[in-house]
Amino acid sequence: MVHHHHHYHCKEKRPKFCINDHVDVLAEILKRLDGRSLCLAACVCRLWSALARTDSVWEHLCFRHLSPPPPSSVRPVVSALGGHRRLYMVCIRPVLGRLGPSRSAELPWRVRSREELQLSLSLFCVDYYERLGSGSSGGGRFGDGSATAPSSLMFLCKPVNV
Amino acid sequence: MGPFDFAAAAAAASSSSSSSGSAPKHPPDLDGLLAGAGYKVRSSELHHVAQRLERLETAMVNSASHIPHLASDAVHYNPSDLASWVDSMLSELPHSSSLPSGFPDPYPTALGCGWLDPCAPQPHQNVVVPQQQQQQLTVVAALEEDSGIRLVHALMTCAESVQRGDSSLARSLVEEMQALLARVNTSCGIGKVAGYFIDALSRRLLGLGSAPAWTYENEVLYHHFYEACPYLKFAHFTANQAILEAFDGHDCVHVIDFNLMHGLQWPALIQALALRAGGPPLLRLTGIGPPSPDGRDTLRQIGLRLKELARSVNVQFTFRGVVASRLEDVKPWMLPVSPKEAVAVNSIMQLHKLLGSDPNRDPPIGSVLPWIRSLNPKIMTVVEQEASHNQTGFLDRFTEALYYYSTLFDSLEAACPVQPDKALAEMYLQREICNIVCCEGTARLERHEPLDKWRARLGEAGFTPLNLGSNAFKQASMLLTLFSAEGYSVEENEGCLTLGWHSRPLIAASAWQAVPSVVNSPTGVINPNDNNNQL
């Protein structure tokens, strides 16, 4: 205790370490979190919130297990269709949840595979297309007067009967 | 609650009805089906007899030691008079008196009272004797299942009488069935499907051949059917995979969609083309669709949406819409194709509509398939219902349809889609049912044929099959695991893929390549007889 006290007085000139001063390190750390933790991190402070919302962090999360990593052409496509965060929330997380340990591994898709990536992207594209439609001014999605939210991916939100 | 074994029930019903065709008519108050088996029971007494048979069975099980004396000592009535026979048997057995005389009859005889749900608490159960409760529950469940089976038998008999032209019998059977329906749970299972078929039969008998005024546009129902169950998604994804593989290496590609609807199939293809190795090709899409009832140019709107999506992912895209209420109205000159581009023809559940037979003309498919060939497509993807609903005999068609749609409704039930998807998806199927049962001639469009017949037909028209490949199979399997119900199965069938429910295939996807028959020689002479495979 006395030693500490003495040490504290000697420390005046040395600045305290604050992670927020090292944004690149912070970004590297955030990249390795899972989706839920990333959302929690976004609630900490404005800097963390801004970082946690950058698409590159979510891109890392989406394709973390994909080996080899996806081709560079994927990034602009995903960005155009709504970004990696939306891709994760709407397609990848539910897909992984369904194809996860509760299913017997008849086909080797525990680790994310190209096929899973492709399927997620296709579903993501359908989702984007439906949102395009609901945003139109023609009186609702398909002109039937009811402005329903895109529901093509609703089946992914339903509980699984295991 | 599982799918009823319609094949067996139908076979039994049709064999008994065909065998009694020449037998003398039975008195109307006797149940016809039991009479065919040799038992005379009044229709009004059926459930009493069933109830007593249950009691007899329970009593015999409980008093096994007393049975031998029944065989040797007792005098019994003729068992063909089932009602009095079972009464006499019951009076013989000592344990039949263990059921209290004040036993309330939970099975109301008056028609029109709803059945007690076997799982709901029974209101007039005063005596809490577990064994009794169990007996009651099993009898209620057995009687409800019995009602379901009776409904199926009645449907078969009605269809058979329609085929014979006996409209009065058919009408009375329809009334009887509507009464039976009140005693069956119509929110799921056999009750629901039977309801639709009874409705369709009554429409047919009333002469309301064409579909009634539907409140919802077909496109809306189609969309909800798309979302409620995996069949259409399977169709789209499998076709897209085949088209993607066929377009490999081509820089100009052209897709012709026989039924654009909302164009839900194409975003995934556009995205896959955007990401393919070597960059996206120039994509042209020609969408065929019916004119929209309120004069909106739906095709153009869909085209604009697809164009916007394509632009977002940097795929060069042009769209052309062709308005036609029937596929046979489309003429080849409406679909200009360039020889430099790879053409894909996509038909999701459209070809069967061309099989309609006007007795004076050949079915339109005979003229449509050749012009498809003349487009020289690199691939034609065909998805069709895996069912035999185009048979000439009404009874056969009806039976097949009952089995098929029951399986389909079962799968919808189990997938538990959200409302309103499920209700509207069911309406979508209801339209198909109505068309199959009520309509004839050119009005009957839903002429589903199984894969084997399509293979033969397309083979004769000069198409060779293309294997769908393992990628398509893997993708389809993956797609299925995303759905919450465990009963779906994807199977491979000689290069084609089928999606089914509990090993009954319901929808089949296949891919075809045209053998080119018309060759433009450099001098401009067209030789239609040149069947060599010159590519």
Side-chain angles (χ1 to χ4, degrees), chain A residues 73-74 76-77 80-81 94-95 98-99 103 107 109 113 115-116 118-119 121-123 125-126 128-130 132-133 141-144 151-152 154-156 158-162, chain B residues 220 223 226-227 233 237 262-264 267-268 271-272 274-275 296 302 305-306 308-309 312-313 414-418 421 471 474-475 477-479 481-486:
Chain A
S73 48
V74 171
V77 170
L81 298 177
V95 168
R98 296 292 172 92
L99 300 177
R103 300 273 172 183
L107 292 165
W109 55 43
S113 66
E115 288 88 18
E116 279 177 34
Q118 189 49 50
L119 185 62
L121 288 175
S122 297
L123 294 171
C125 201
V126 179
Y128 172 77
Y129 180 70
E130 292 196 311
L132 269 185
R141 185 156 61 149
F142 300 115
D144 60 347
S151 50
S152 173
M154 279 298 284
F155 72 95
L156 288 177
K158 290 187 290 253
V160 179
N161 286 344
V162 177
Chain B
V220 174
H223 194 92
Y226 177 88
E227 292 174 8
K233 287 188 179 81
F237 277 66
H262 291 142
L264 277 172
Q271 171 263 312
L275 288 177
R296 283 175 296 135
I302 303 293
R305 259 174 57 177
L306 288 169
E308 195 182 322
L309 182 137
S312 311
V313 297
C416 305
V418 297
D421 284 344
N471 283 335
K474 267 195 266 185
Q475 184 182 235
S477 310
M478 235 192 293
L479 190 63
T481 57
L482 298 179
F483 279 82
S484 56
E486 284 273 0

Coordinates of all heavy atoms in Angstrom, one line a residue, chain A residues 73-74 76-77 80-81 94-95 98-99 103 107 109 113 115-116 118-119 121-123 125-126 128-130 132-133 141-144 151-152 154-156 158-162, chain B residues 220 223 226-227 233 237 262-264 267-268 271-272 274-275 296 302 305-306 308-309 312-313 414-418 421 471 474-475 477-479 481-486:
Chain A
S73 N -14.6 -8.8 -55.1 CA -15.8 -8.3 -55.8 C -17.0 -8.3 -54.8 O -18.0 -7.7 -55.1 CB -16.1 -9.1 -57.0 OG -16.0 -10.5 -56.7
V74 N -16.9 -9.1 -53.7 CA -18.0 -9.2 -52.8 C -18.3 -8.0 -52.1 O -19.5 -7.6 -51.9 CB -17.8 -10.4 -51.8 CG1 -18.9 -10.4 -50.8 CG2 -17.7 -11.7 -52.6
P76 N -18.1 -4.6 -52.7 CA -19.0 -3.6 -53.3 C -20.4 -4.0 -53.4 O -21.4 -3.3 -53.3 CB -18.4 -3.2 -54.6 CG -17.4 -4.3 -54.9 CD -17.0 -4.9 -53.6
V77 N -20.6 -5.3 -53.7 CA -22.0 -5.8 -53.9 C -22.7 -5.8 -52.6 O -23.8 -5.3 -52.5 CB -21.9 -7.3 -54.5 CG1 -23.3 -7.9 -54.4 CG2 -21.4 -7.3 -55.9
A80 N -23.6 -2.3 -51.7 CA -24.7 -1.8 -52.5 C -26.0 -2.3 -52.0 O -27.0 -1.6 -52.1 CB -24.5 -2.1 -53.9
L81 N -26.0 -3.5 -51.5 CA -27.3 -4.2 -51.1 C -27.7 -3.9 -49.6 O -28.7 -4.4 -49.2 CB -27.2 -5.7 -51.3 CG -27.0 -6.2 -52.7 CD1 -26.8 -7.7 -52.7 CD2 -28.1 -5.7 -53.6
P94 N -29.0 -15.7 -38.7 CA -30.0 -16.7 -38.7 C -29.6 -18.0 -39.5 O -29.9 -19.1 -39.0 CB -31.2 -16.1 -39.4 CG -31.0 -14.7 -39.4 CD -29.5 -14.4 -39.3
V95 N -28.9 -17.8 -40.6 CA -28.4 -19.0 -41.3 C -27.5 -19.8 -40.4 O -27.6 -21.1 -40.3 CB -27.7 -18.6 -42.6 CG1 -27.0 -19.8 -43.2 CG2 -28.7 -18.0 -43.6
R98 N -29.3 -21.7 -37.8 CA -30.0 -22.9 -38.3 C -29.1 -24.0 -38.6 O -29.4 -25.2 -38.4 CB -30.8 -22.6 -39.5 CG -31.9 -21.6 -39.3 CD -33.0 -22.1 -38.5 NE -34.0 -21.1 -38.1 CZ -35.1 -20.9 -38.8 NH1 -35.3 -21.6 -39.9 NH2 -35.9 -19.9 -38.5
L99 N -28.0 -23.7 -39.2 CA -27.0 -24.7 -39.6 C -26.1 -25.1 -38.6 O -25.1 -25.8 -38.8 CB -26.3 -24.2 -40.9 CG -27.1 -23.9 -42.1 CD1 -26.3 -23.4 -43.2 CD2 -27.9 -25.1 -42.6
R103 N -28.0 -29.2 -35.7 CA -28.2 -30.0 -36.9 C -27.1 -31.1 -37.0 O -26.0 -30.8 -36.8 CB -28.2 -29.2 -38.2 CG -29.3 -28.1 -38.2 CD -30.5 -28.6 -38.7 NE -31.6 -27.7 -38.5 CZ -32.9 -27.9 -38.9 NH1 -33.2 -29.1 -39.4 NH2 -33.8 -27.0 -38.7
L107 N -23.7 -32.8 -44.3 CA -22.8 -32.2 -45.2 C -21.8 -31.3 -44.4 O -22.2 -30.7 -43.4 CB -23.5 -31.4 -46.2 CG -24.4 -32.2 -47.2 CD1 -25.4 -31.3 -47.9 CD2 -23.5 -32.9 -48.2
W109 N -20.8 -28.4 -43.4 CA -21.0 -27.0 -43.4 C -21.0 -26.4 -42.0 O -21.6 -25.4 -41.7 CB -22.2 -26.6 -44.2 CG -23.5 -27.2 -43.7 CD1 -23.9 -27.4 -42.5 CD2 -24.5 -27.7 -44.6 NE1 -25.1 -27.9 -42.4 CE2 -25.6 -28.1 -43.7 CE3 -24.7 -27.8 -45.9 CZ2 -26.7 -28.7 -44.2 CZ3 -25.9 -28.3 -46.4 CH2 -26.9 -28.8 -45.6
S113 N -18.9 -22.0 -45.4 CA -18.4 -22.4 -46.7 C -18.8 -21.5 -47.8 O -19.7 -20.6 -47.6 CB -19.0 -23.8 -47.0 OG -20.4 -23.7 -47.2
E115 N -20.6 -22.1 -50.3 CA -22.0 -22.3 -50.6 C -22.9 -21.5 -49.7 O -23.9 -20.9 -50.1 CB -22.4 -23.8 -50.6 CG -21.9 -24.6 -51.7 CD -20.5 -25.2 -51.4 OE1 -20.2 -25.2 -50.3 OE2 -19.8 -25.6 -52.4
E116 N -22.5 -21.6 -48.4 CA -23.3 -20.8 -47.4 C -23.2 -19.4 -47.7 O -24.2 -18.6 -47.6 CB -22.8 -21.1 -46.0 CG -23.3 -22.4 -45.4 CD -22.6 -22.6 -44.0 OE1 -22.4 -21.6 -43.3 OE2 -22.3 -23.7 -43.7
Q118 N -22.7 -18.0 -50.5 CA -23.5 -17.7 -51.7 C -25.0 -17.6 -51.4 O -25.7 -16.8 -51.9 CB -23.2 -18.8 -52.8 CG -23.8 -18.5 -54.2 CD -23.5 -17.1 -54.7 OE1 -22.4 -16.7 -54.6 NE2 -24.5 -16.4 -55.1
L119 N -25.4 -18.6 -50.6 CA -26.9 -18.6 -50.3 C -27.3 -17.4 -49.5 O -28.3 -16.8 -49.7 CB -27.2 -19.9 -49.5 CG -28.6 -20.1 -49.1 CD1 -29.5 -20.3 -50.4 CD2 -28.8 -21.4 -48.3
L121 N -25.8 -14.5 -49.6 CA -25.9 -13.3 -50.4 C -27.1 -13.3 -51.3 O -27.7 -12.3 -51.5 CB -24.6 -13.3 -51.3 CG -23.3 -13.0 -50.6 CD1 -22.1 -13.2 -51.6 CD2 -23.3 -11.6 -50.1
S122 N -27.5 -14.5 -51.8 CA -28.7 -14.5 -52.6 C -29.9 -14.1 -51.8 O -30.8 -13.3 -52.3 CB -29.0 -16.0 -53.1 OG -27.9 -16.4 -54.0
L123 N -30.1 -14.6 -50.6 CA -31.2 -14.2 -49.8 C -31.2 -12.7 -49.5 O -32.2 -12.0 -49.4 CB -31.2 -15.0 -48.5 CG -31.5 -16.5 -48.7 CD1 -31.2 -17.3 -47.4 CD2 -32.9 -16.8 -49.2
C125 N -29.9 -10.5 -51.3 CA -30.3 -9.7 -52.5 C -31.8 -9.7 -52.7 O -32.4 -8.7 -53.1 CB -29.7 -10.4 -53.7 SG -29.5 -9.3 -55.1
V126 N -32.5 -10.8 -52.4 CA -33.9 -10.8 -52.5 C -34.5 -9.8 -51.5 O -35.5 -9.1 -51.7 CB -34.5 -12.3 -52.2 CG1 -36.0 -12.3 -52.2 CG2 -33.9 -13.2 -53.2
Y128 N -33.1 -7.1 -50.4 CA -32.9 -5.7 -50.9 C -33.9 -5.4 -51.9 O -34.5 -4.3 -52.0 CB -31.5 -5.7 -51.5 CG -31.2 -4.4 -52.2 CD1 -30.9 -3.2 -51.6 CD2 -31.2 -4.3 -53.6 CE1 -30.7 -2.0 -52.2 CE2 -30.9 -3.1 -54.3 CZ -30.7 -2.0 -53.6 OH -30.4 -0.8 -54.3
Y129 N -34.2 -6.4 -52.8 CA -35.2 -6.2 -53.9 C -36.6 -5.9 -53.3 O -37.3 -5.0 -53.8 CB -35.2 -7.4 -54.7 CG -36.1 -7.4 -55.9 CD1 -35.9 -6.6 -57.0 CD2 -37.3 -8.2 -55.9 CE1 -36.8 -6.5 -58.0 CE2 -38.2 -8.2 -57.0 CZ -37.9 -7.4 -58.0 OH -38.8 -7.3 -59.1
E130 N -36.9 -6.6 -52.3 CA -38.2 -6.4 -51.7 C -38.3 -5.0 -51.0 O -39.3 -4.4 -51.1 CB -38.5 -7.5 -50.7 CG -38.7 -8.8 -51.3 CD -39.4 -9.8 -50.4 OE1 -38.9 -9.9 -49.3 OE2 -40.4 -10.4 -50.9
L132 N -36.7 -2.5 -52.0 CA -36.9 -1.5 -53.1 C -38.3 -1.3 -53.5 O -38.8 -0.3 -53.7 CB -36.2 -2.1 -54.4 CG -34.7 -1.8 -54.7 CD1 -34.4 -2.4 -56.0 CD2 -34.5 -0.3 -54.7
G133 N -39.0 -2.4 -53.4 CA -40.5 -2.4 -53.8 C -41.3 -1.7 -52.8 O -42.2 -0.9 -53.1
R141 N -46.5 -2.2 -51.5 CA -45.5 -3.0 -52.1 C -45.9 -3.5 -53.5 O -45.3 -3.3 -54.5 CB -45.1 -4.2 -51.3 CG -44.0 -5.0 -51.8 CD -43.4 -5.8 -50.8 NE -44.4 -6.7 -50.2 CZ -44.0 -7.8 -49.6 NH1 -42.8 -8.2 -49.7 NH2 -44.9 -8.6 -49.1
F142 N -47.0 -4.1 -53.6 CA -47.4 -4.7 -54.9 C -48.8 -4.1 -55.3 O -49.5 -4.7 -56.0 CB -47.5 -6.2 -54.8 CG -46.1 -6.8 -54.5 CD1 -46.0 -7.4 -53.3 CD2 -45.0 -6.6 -55.3 CE1 -44.7 -8.0 -53.0 CE2 -43.8 -7.1 -55.0 CZ -43.6 -7.8 -53.8
G143 N -48.9 -2.8 -54.9 CA -50.1 -2.2 -55.4 C -51.4 -2.7 -54.7 O -52.5 -2.4 -55.2
D144 N -51.2 -3.5 -53.7 CA -52.5 -4.0 -53.1 C -52.9 -3.2 -51.9 O -53.8 -3.6 -51.2 CB -52.3 -5.5 -52.7 CG -51.2 -5.6 -51.7 OD1 -50.4 -4.7 -51.5 OD2 -51.1 -6.7 -51.1
S151 N -40.9 -9.4 -46.3 CA -41.1 -10.5 -45.4 C -40.5 -11.8 -46.1 O -40.8 -12.9 -45.6 CB -42.5 -10.7 -45.1 OG -43.3 -10.7 -46.2
S152 N -39.8 -11.7 -47.1 CA -39.3 -12.9 -47.8 C -38.3 -13.6 -46.8 O -38.2 -14.8 -46.9 CB -38.6 -12.5 -49.1 OG -38.0 -13.7 -49.6
M154 N -38.7 -13.6 -43.6 CA -39.3 -13.8 -42.3 C -39.1 -15.2 -41.8 O -39.1 -15.5 -40.7 CB -40.8 -13.5 -42.4 CG -41.1 -12.0 -42.3 SD -40.6 -11.3 -40.7 CE -41.9 -11.9 -39.7
F155 N -39.0 -16.1 -42.8 CA -38.9 -17.5 -42.4 C -37.7 -17.8 -41.6 O -37.6 -18.7 -40.9 CB -39.0 -18.5 -43.6 CG -37.8 -18.4 -44.5 CD1 -36.8 -19.4 -44.3 CD2 -37.6 -17.5 -45.5 CE1 -35.7 -19.3 -45.1 CE2 -36.5 -17.5 -46.3 CZ -35.5 -18.4 -46.1
L156 N -36.7 -16.9 -41.8 CA -35.5 -17.1 -41.0 C -35.6 -16.7 -39.5 O -34.9 -17.1 -38.7 CB -34.3 -16.3 -41.6 CG -33.8 -16.8 -42.9 CD1 -32.8 -15.8 -43.5 CD2 -33.2 -18.1 -42.8
K158 N -38.3 -17.4 -37.8 CA -39.2 -18.2 -37.0 C -38.4 -19.2 -36.2 O -37.4 -19.7 -36.6 CB -40.2 -18.9 -38.0 CG -41.1 -17.9 -38.6 CD -42.1 -18.7 -39.4 CE -41.5 -19.2 -40.7 NZ -41.9 -18.5 -41.9
P159 N -39.0 -19.6 -35.1 CA -38.3 -20.6 -34.3 C -38.2 -21.9 -35.0 O -39.1 -22.3 -35.7 CB -39.1 -20.7 -33.0 CG -40.5 -20.2 -33.4 CD -40.2 -19.2 -34.4
V160 N -37.1 -22.6 -34.7 CA -36.9 -23.9 -35.4 C -37.5 -25.0 -34.6 O -37.3 -25.1 -33.4 CB -35.4 -24.1 -35.6 CG1 -35.2 -25.4 -36.3 CG2 -34.8 -23.0 -36.4
N161 N -38.3 -25.9 -35.3 CA -38.8 -27.1 -34.6 C -37.7 -28.1 -34.6 O -37.5 -28.8 -35.6 CB -40.0 -27.6 -35.3 CG -41.2 -26.7 -35.1 OD1 -41.2 -25.9 -34.2 ND2 -42.2 -26.9 -35.9
V162 N -37.0 -28.2 -33.5 CA -35.9 -29.2 -33.5 C -36.5 -30.5 -33.0 O -37.2 -30.5 -32.0 CB -34.7 -28.7 -32.6 CG1 -33.7 -29.8 -32.5 CG2 -34.1 -27.5 -33.2
Chain B
V220 N -50.5 -11.5 -55.7 CA -50.4 -11.4 -54.2 C -50.4 -12.7 -53.6 O -49.6 -13.0 -52.7 CB -51.6 -10.5 -53.7 CG1 -51.6 -10.5 -52.2 CG2 -51.6 -9.1 -54.3
H223 N -47.2 -14.5 -54.1 CA -46.1 -14.0 -53.2 C -46.2 -14.6 -51.8 O -45.2 -14.9 -51.2 CB -46.2 -12.4 -53.1 CG -45.0 -11.9 -52.6 ND1 -43.9 -11.5 -53.3 CD2 -44.6 -11.7 -51.3 CE1 -42.9 -11.0 -52.5 NE2 -43.3 -11.1 -51.3
Y226 N -45.0 -18.0 -51.9 CA -43.6 -18.0 -52.0 C -43.0 -17.9 -50.6 O -42.0 -18.5 -50.3 CB -43.1 -16.7 -52.8 CG -41.6 -16.5 -52.9 CD1 -40.9 -17.1 -53.9 CD2 -41.0 -15.7 -52.0 CE1 -39.5 -16.9 -54.0 CE2 -39.6 -15.5 -52.1 CZ -38.9 -16.1 -53.1 OH -37.5 -15.9 -53.2
E227 N -43.6 -17.1 -49.7 CA -43.1 -16.9 -48.4 C -43.4 -18.0 -47.4 O -42.7 -18.2 -46.4 CB -43.5 -15.5 -47.9 CG -42.8 -14.4 -48.7 CD -43.3 -13.0 -48.4 OE1 -44.0 -12.9 -47.4 OE2 -42.9 -12.1 -49.1
K233 N -39.2 -21.1 -53.7 CA -37.8 -20.7 -53.5 C -36.9 -21.8 -54.0 O -35.9 -21.5 -54.7 CB -37.5 -20.6 -52.0 CG -38.1 -19.3 -51.4 CD -37.6 -19.1 -50.0 CE -38.1 -17.9 -49.3 NZ -39.5 -18.0 -48.8
F237 N -34.2 -21.0 -56.9 CA -32.8 -21.2 -56.7 C -32.2 -22.3 -57.5 O -31.1 -22.2 -58.0 CB -32.5 -21.5 -55.2 CG -32.5 -20.2 -54.3 CD1 -33.6 -19.5 -54.1 CD2 -31.3 -19.9 -53.7 CE1 -33.6 -18.3 -53.4 CE2 -31.3 -18.7 -52.9 CZ -32.4 -17.9 -52.7
H262 N -43.6 -11.0 -59.8 CA -42.9 -9.9 -59.2 C -41.4 -10.0 -59.5 O -40.6 -9.2 -58.9 CB -43.2 -9.8 -57.7 CG -44.6 -9.4 -57.4 ND1 -45.3 -9.9 -56.4 CD2 -45.4 -8.6 -58.1 CE1 -46.5 -9.4 -56.4 NE2 -46.6 -8.6 -57.4
G263 N -41.0 -10.9 -60.3 CA -39.6 -11.0 -60.6 C -38.7 -11.4 -59.4 O -37.5 -11.1 -59.4
L264 N -39.3 -12.2 -58.5 CA -38.5 -12.6 -57.3 C -37.4 -13.5 -57.6 O -36.5 -13.7 -56.8 CB -39.5 -13.2 -56.3 CG -40.3 -12.3 -55.4 CD1 -41.3 -13.0 -54.6 CD2 -39.3 -11.5 -54.5
P267 N -33.4 -11.3 -58.7 CA -32.3 -10.7 -57.9 C -31.2 -11.6 -57.6 O -30.0 -11.2 -57.7 CB -33.1 -10.2 -56.6 CG -34.5 -10.1 -57.0 CD -34.7 -11.1 -58.1
A268 N -31.5 -12.8 -57.2 CA -30.4 -13.7 -56.8 C -29.5 -14.0 -58.0 O -28.3 -14.2 -57.9 CB -31.0 -15.0 -56.3
Q271 N -27.3 -11.0 -58.7 CA -26.2 -10.9 -57.7 C -25.2 -12.0 -58.0 O -24.0 -11.7 -57.9 CB -26.8 -11.1 -56.3 CG -25.8 -11.2 -55.2 CD -25.7 -12.7 -54.9 OE1 -26.6 -13.4 -54.7 NE2 -24.4 -13.1 -54.8
A272 N -25.6 -13.2 -58.4 CA -24.6 -14.3 -58.6 C -23.8 -13.9 -59.9 O -22.6 -14.2 -59.9 CB -25.3 -15.6 -58.8
A274 N -23.1 -10.9 -60.8 CA -22.3 -9.8 -60.5 C -21.0 -10.3 -59.8 O -19.9 -9.7 -60.0 CB -23.0 -8.9 -59.5
L275 N -21.1 -11.4 -59.1 CA -19.9 -11.9 -58.4 C -19.2 -13.0 -59.1 O -18.3 -13.6 -58.5 CB -20.4 -12.5 -57.0 CG -20.8 -11.4 -56.0 CD1 -21.3 -12.0 -54.8 CD2 -19.7 -10.5 -55.7
R296 N -52.4 -0.9 -64.9 CA -51.1 -0.5 -64.5 C -50.1 -1.3 -65.3 O -50.3 -2.5 -65.6 CB -50.8 -0.8 -63.1 CG -51.4 0.2 -62.1 CD -51.2 -0.2 -60.7 NE -51.8 -1.5 -60.4 CZ -51.2 -2.5 -59.7 NH1 -50.0 -2.4 -59.3 NH2 -51.9 -3.6 -59.5
I302 N -41.8 -3.8 -62.6 CA -40.9 -4.8 -62.2 C -39.5 -4.7 -62.9 O -38.5 -4.8 -62.3 CB -41.5 -6.2 -62.4 CG1 -42.8 -6.3 -61.7 CG2 -40.5 -7.3 -62.0 CD1 -42.8 -6.3 -60.2
R305 N -37.5 -2.0 -61.3 CA -36.9 -2.4 -60.0 C -35.7 -3.3 -60.2 O -34.7 -3.1 -59.6 CB -38.0 -3.2 -59.2 CG -38.6 -2.3 -58.1 CD -39.7 -2.9 -57.4 NE -39.3 -4.2 -56.8 CZ -40.2 -4.9 -56.1 NH1 -41.4 -4.4 -55.9 NH2 -39.9 -6.0 -55.5
L306 N -35.8 -4.2 -61.1 CA -34.7 -5.1 -61.4 C -33.5 -4.3 -62.0 O -32.4 -4.6 -61.6 CB -35.1 -6.2 -62.4 CG -36.1 -7.3 -61.7 CD1 -36.6 -8.2 -62.8 CD2 -35.3 -8.1 -60.7
E308 N -32.8 -1.3 -61.3 CA -32.2 -0.5 -60.2 C -31.3 -1.4 -59.4 O -30.2 -1.1 -59.1 CB -33.2 0.1 -59.3 CG -32.7 1.2 -58.4 CD -33.7 1.7 -57.5 OE1 -34.8 1.9 -57.9 OE2 -33.3 2.0 -56.3
L309 N -31.8 -2.6 -59.2 CA -30.9 -3.6 -58.4 C -29.7 -3.9 -59.2 O -28.6 -3.9 -58.7 CB -31.7 -4.8 -58.1 CG -31.0 -5.9 -57.3 CD1 -31.9 -6.5 -56.3 CD2 -30.5 -7.0 -58.2
S312 N -27.2 -1.2 -59.0 CA -26.5 -1.1 -57.7 C -25.3 -2.1 -57.6 O -24.3 -1.8 -56.9 CB -27.4 -1.5 -56.5 OG -28.6 -0.8 -56.6
V313 N -25.4 -3.2 -58.3 CA -24.3 -4.2 -58.2 C -23.5 -4.2 -59.5 O -22.8 -5.1 -59.8 CB -24.8 -5.6 -57.9 CG1 -25.5 -5.6 -56.5 CG2 -25.8 -6.1 -58.9
A414 N -47.1 -27.8 -41.1 CA -46.0 -28.1 -40.3 C -44.9 -27.0 -40.3 O -44.2 -26.7 -39.4 CB -45.3 -29.4 -40.7
A415 N -44.9 -26.3 -41.5 CA -43.9 -25.2 -41.6 C -44.3 -24.0 -40.8 O -43.5 -23.1 -40.6 CB -43.7 -24.8 -43.1
C416 N -45.5 -24.0 -40.2 CA -46.0 -22.9 -39.4 C -45.7 -21.6 -39.9 O -45.0 -20.8 -39.2 CB -45.5 -23.0 -38.0 SG -45.7 -24.6 -37.2
P417 N -46.0 -21.2 -41.1 CA -45.7 -19.9 -41.5 C -46.5 -18.8 -40.8 O -47.6 -19.2 -40.2 CB -46.0 -19.9 -43.0 CG -47.0 -21.0 -43.2 CD -46.7 -22.0 -42.1
V418 N -46.1 -17.6 -40.8 CA -46.8 -16.6 -40.1 C -48.1 -16.2 -41.0 O -48.1 -16.4 -42.2 CB -45.9 -15.3 -40.0 CG1 -44.8 -15.6 -39.1 CG2 -45.5 -14.7 -41.3
D421 N -49.5 -15.0 -44.4 CA -48.9 -15.9 -45.4 C -49.6 -17.2 -45.6 O -49.9 -17.6 -46.7 CB -47.4 -16.1 -45.1 CG -46.6 -14.9 -45.4 OD1 -47.0 -14.0 -46.1 OD2 -45.4 -14.9 -44.9
N471 N -24.0 -29.0 -57.2 CA -24.1 -27.6 -56.6 C -25.6 -27.3 -56.4 O -25.9 -26.8 -55.3 CB -23.5 -26.6 -57.5 CG -22.0 -26.6 -57.4 OD1 -21.4 -27.0 -56.4 ND2 -21.3 -26.1 -58.5
K474 N -26.8 -29.3 -53.4 CA -26.3 -28.8 -52.1 C -27.0 -27.6 -51.7 O -27.4 -27.4 -50.6 CB -24.8 -28.5 -52.2 CG -23.8 -29.7 -51.8 CD -22.4 -29.2 -51.6 CE -21.6 -29.4 -52.9 NZ -20.2 -29.0 -52.7
Q475 N -27.2 -26.7 -52.7 CA -27.9 -25.5 -52.4 C -29.3 -25.7 -52.0 O -29.8 -25.1 -51.0 CB -27.9 -24.6 -53.7 CG -28.5 -23.2 -53.4 CD -28.5 -22.4 -54.7 OE1 -28.0 -21.3 -54.7 NE2 -29.1 -22.9 -55.7
S477 N -30.5 -28.4 -50.6 CA -30.5 -29.0 -49.2 C -30.3 -28.0 -48.2 O -30.9 -28.0 -47.1 CB -29.4 -30.1 -49.1 OG -29.5 -31.0 -50.2
M478 N -29.4 -27.0 -48.5 CA -29.1 -26.0 -47.5 C -30.3 -25.1 -47.3 O -30.6 -24.7 -46.2 CB -27.9 -25.1 -48.0 CG -26.8 -25.0 -47.0 SD -25.6 -23.7 -47.5 CE -25.0 -24.5 -49.0
L479 N -31.0 -24.8 -48.4 CA -32.1 -24.0 -48.3 C -33.2 -24.6 -47.5 O -33.9 -24.0 -46.7 CB -32.7 -23.8 -49.8 CG -33.8 -22.7 -50.0 CD1 -33.3 -21.4 -49.6 CD2 -34.3 -22.8 -51.4
T481 N -32.8 -26.7 -44.9 CA -32.5 -26.7 -43.5 C -32.8 -25.4 -42.9 O -33.0 -25.3 -41.7 CB -31.0 -27.0 -43.3 OG1 -30.2 -26.0 -43.9 CG2 -30.6 -28.4 -43.8
L482 N -33.0 -24.3 -43.7 CA -33.4 -23.1 -43.1 C -34.9 -23.0 -42.7 O -35.3 -22.1 -42.0 CB -33.1 -21.9 -44.1 CG -31.6 -21.7 -44.5 CD1 -31.5 -20.6 -45.4 CD2 -30.8 -21.5 -43.2
F483 N -35.6 -23.9 -43.2 CA -37.0 -23.9 -42.9 C -37.3 -24.7 -41.7 O -36.7 -25.7 -41.4 CB -37.9 -24.5 -44.1 CG -38.1 -23.5 -45.1 CD1 -37.1 -23.2 -46.1 CD2 -39.2 -22.7 -45.2 CE1 -37.3 -22.2 -47.0 CE2 -39.4 -21.7 -46.1 CZ -38.4 -21.5 -47.0
S484 N -38.3 -24.3 -40.9 CA -38.5 -24.8 -39.6 C -39.1 -26.2 -39.5 O -39.1 -26.8 -38.5 CB -39.3 -23.9 -38.8 OG -40.6 -23.7 -39.4
A485 N -39.6 -26.7 -40.6 CA -40.2 -28.1 -40.5 C -39.2 -29.1 -41.0 O -38.4 -28.9 -41.9 CB -41.4 -28.1 -41.4
E486 N -39.3 -30.3 -40.4 CA -38.3 -31.3 -40.6 C -38.7 -32.3 -41.7 O -38.0 -33.2 -42.0 CB -38.1 -32.1 -39.3 CG -37.3 -31.4 -38.3 CD -35.8 -31.6 -38.5 OE1 -35.4 -32.4 -39.4 OE2 -35.0 -31.1 -37.7

